[in-house]
Amino acid sequence: MSETKPPIIWLNVMIFTLTFLVAAIGAPVYAYLVGFDWQQGLMLLAAFTYCGMSITAGYHRLWSHKAYEANAVVRFIFAIGGAFALQNSILHWSSDHRIHHRHVDNNDVDPYSAKRGFFYSHIGWMLREYQSHRYTDYSNCRDLQKDKIVMWQHKYYVPLAIVTNFGIPLLFGLWHGDVWGALLLVGVVRLVLSHHTTFFINSLAHIWGEQPYTDKNTARDNGFLAFLTFGEGYHNYHHIFENDYRNGIRWWQFDPTKWLIRTCAWLGLASNLRTCPEDKIEKAKATMMLKRIQNRLNQGPDQSAMLHRVEAEYEVLIQKISEYYATKKQMLEARKKELREQYENLEFVQHYQEVKAKLEQQRRSWKLLTSQYA
Ligand SMILES: [Zn+2]
Ligand SMILES: [Zn+2]
């Protein structure tokens, strides 16, 4: 089966190859011959963080998914950082990304479908004109076309990318006293690290990790990748609840992007942070576990008794989850509206505590029952 491949995009091939070679060979040689100091190291980290978070908090969660709203100053800072990260304009990136979510793993439509293999989803998709048919079609981003900062960045993307990628390292180098070292470390090494860690989300985060919420697509949760990508490694959760401003939903999960967004909201720079209702999250997880157990038990020798038991426990769990969160909602509403009589009504509070205790008990027995299949 021979399929003619689309033409190579030489500009991209050159950029990715040259920057990679300079970072992999040039930087260590320079480190050996001249050396880098802690100020340069710190600036590398700062610039890497600025690029990375402009993509995660800006391009990804703000613009692609509308998981929150941010004021113009924040949007401007992310727009500049996105050009510095050299990952195309906000408009183009978001358009690709919305298609990725909508048609995930569909080799014909998903721009970086993981089913086409690691190399393709990591970088290959940008090396040939696979997407040229829709380079100017941004119809899935009409909302973003109303954002003046998005359109300004799209129009001036190339000059902005050049100015940031040469200007920022150059200015730092002049201040610090080692221009070549700065261009190498803050310019090239930072760019390569920023590129490949982001690319890991399209490649590795669809290959390596757990699927606690859904197996309907290849996306995976991976704490190690979250560490490299400012929290984006919780990709299984993200693909099922894409409008949540968090990717790592537990307080202990490493998601600096979530912390940044929350800090911005606290400072009055961001608002309308969207989260998925907790009952939906818990139900998704239980349903995935049930599905996994059903698949397992259906394969081996007759296990119908065990299967029935698991299914029955699952039904009870789902019912208890619904009951608890509904009661909790009533409770919070009563508190908000200051329905003092209801809120202070002992019976109501007692009822809430009972419902809560029953759910906790059911969670425990579900965990015990399913732990051998986890
Ligand atoms: Zn994905
Ligand atoms: Zn996404």
Side-chain angles (χ1 to χ4, degrees):
M1 203 176 78
S2 74
E3 187 190 327
T4 48
K5 287 186 171 174
I8 291 175
I9 306 174
W10 284 106
L11 177 68
N12 290 2
V13 173
M14 296 283 283
I15 290 175
F16 290 132
T17 313
L18 283 177
T19 54
F20 185 80
L21 289 177
V22 170
I25 300 166
V29 169
Y30 194 86
Y32 179 71
L33 295 177
V34 185
F36 295 111
D37 64 17
W38 66 271
Q39 286 172 321
Q40 289 167 305
L42 209 63
M43 185 59 190
L44 167 67
L45 191 68
F48 172 73
T49 305
Y50 179 37
C51 285
M53 286 216 168
S54 295
I55 297 296
T56 61
Y59 276 44
H60 189 215
R61 301 192 201 180
L62 173 69
W63 281 300
S64 298
H65 292 300
K66 312 229 106 197
Y68 67 102
E69 285 163 31
N71 85 349
V73 176
V74 173
R75 296 201 320 272
F76 178 76
I77 293 171
F78 289 157
I80 300 295
F84 190 28
L86 205 66
Q87 292 192 23
N88 218 323
S89 70
I90 299 159
L91 190 65
H92 194 99
W93 200 105
S94 302
S95 176
D96 272 349
H97 194 69
R98 286 179 183 182
I99 297 172
H100 167 64
H101 273 266
R102 200 163 177 176
H103 301 281
V104 61
D105 299 328
N106 178 337
N107 284 354
D108 297 325
V109 198
D110 181 352
Y112 26 86
S113 174
K115 291 227 165 133
R116 291 175 79 156
F118 175 85
F119 184 79
Y120 182 87
S121 60
H122 188 74
I123 198 168
W125 66 280
M126 290 174 279
L127 302 182
R128 286 178 183 272
E129 287 179 16
Y130 296 104
Q131 312 295 322
S132 53
H133 56 285
R134 49 158 298 272
Y135 266 180
T136 48
D137 175 22
Y138 300 119
S139 54
N140 65 347
C141 290
R142 286 197 211 286
D143 54 325
L144 300 184
Q145 294 180 37
K146 290 181 200 145
D147 185 332
K148 283 190 184 133
I149 292 172
V150 170
M151 296 317 284
W152 170 80
Q153 196 241 25
H154 186 67
K155 191 171 170 193
Y156 297 107
Y157 173 71
V158 174
L160 282 171
I162 293 171
V163 167
T164 47
N165 276 280
F166 287 98
I168 294 173
L170 200 63
L171 281 178
F172 169 73
L174 288 171
W175 170 81
H176 172 264
D178 177 6
V179 170
W180 282 110
L183 285 173
L184 209 51
L185 203 64
V186 183
V188 184
V189 173
R190 179 267 322 161
L191 184 67
V192 171
L193 289 177
S194 175
H195 269 163
H196 289 279
T197 48
T198 308
F199 301 165
F200 275 152
I201 299 306
N202 298 335
S203 55
L204 274 186
H206 279 264
I207 295 169
W208 174 34
E210 319 244 288
Q211 295 186 295
Y213 299 99
T214 179
D215 64 355
K216 287 191 180 136
N217 60 67
T218 52
R220 288 178 161 65
D221 273 11
N222 183 314
F224 175 68
L225 284 180
F227 178 70
L228 296 181
T229 56
F230 305 97
E232 302 275 87
Y234 300 104
H235 207 54
N236 188 254
Y237 178 82
H238 175 61
H239 262 276
I240 184 168
F241 302 120
E242 61 183 57
N243 300 115
D244 198 315
Y245 83 94
R246 312 157 303 171
N247 277 14
I249 52 168
R250 305 287 163 228
W251 66 267
W252 49 266
Q253 286 178 324
F254 187 78
D255 187 354
T257 303
K258 162 185 81 178
W259 299 326
L260 175 71
I261 295 168
R262 218 180 276 160
T263 308
C264 286
W266 185 70
L267 293 169
L269 302 170
S271 57
N272 294 334
L273 276 55
R274 292 162 74 180
T275 54
C276 179
E278 283 176 87
D279 54 335
K280 270 193 172 178
I281 299 172
E282 196 174 348
K283 282 178 187 173
K285 215 170 169 179
T287 307
M288 187 60 238
M289 178 60 88
L290 175 72
K291 190 177 171 189
R292 191 161 286 141
I293 296 173
Q294 282 170 331
N295 288 344
R296 187 89 63 88
L297 293 183
N298 281 330
Q299 276 169 8
D302 184 33
Q303 298 259 27
S304 52
M306 184 61 187
L307 199 57
H308 285 315
R309 204 179 138 206
V310 172
E311 282 166 350
E313 288 285 328
Y314 167 81
E315 291 300 333
V316 177
L317 180 67
I318 294 296
Q319 185 221 329
K320 299 281 174 223
I321 293 170
S322 301
E323 211 177 334
Y324 168 68
Y325 285 102
T327 316
K328 190 179 172 186
K329 202 174 155 199
Q330 278 177 353
M331 180 97 160
L332 292 174
E333 270 166 15
R335 198 185 294 177
K336 220 182 338 183
K337 288 184 198 155
E338 290 182 32
L339 297 175
R340 278 264 171 275
E341 318 92 69
Q342 196 186 358
Y343 180 54
E344 282 170 5
N345 180 330
L346 212 58
E347 261 175 58
F348 185 73
V349 176
Q350 252 170 10
H351 171 65
Y352 170 77
Q353 300 290 8
E354 271 167 31
V355 171
K356 191 179 176 187
K358 275 185 196 158
L359 172 60
E360 273 162 7
Q361 193 191 358
Q362 188 59 22
R363 275 175 183 154
R364 277 194 296 275
S365 59
W366 174 252
K367 208 171 169 185
L368 201 69
L369 184 67
T370 59
S371 57
Q372 54 184 310
Y373 303 97

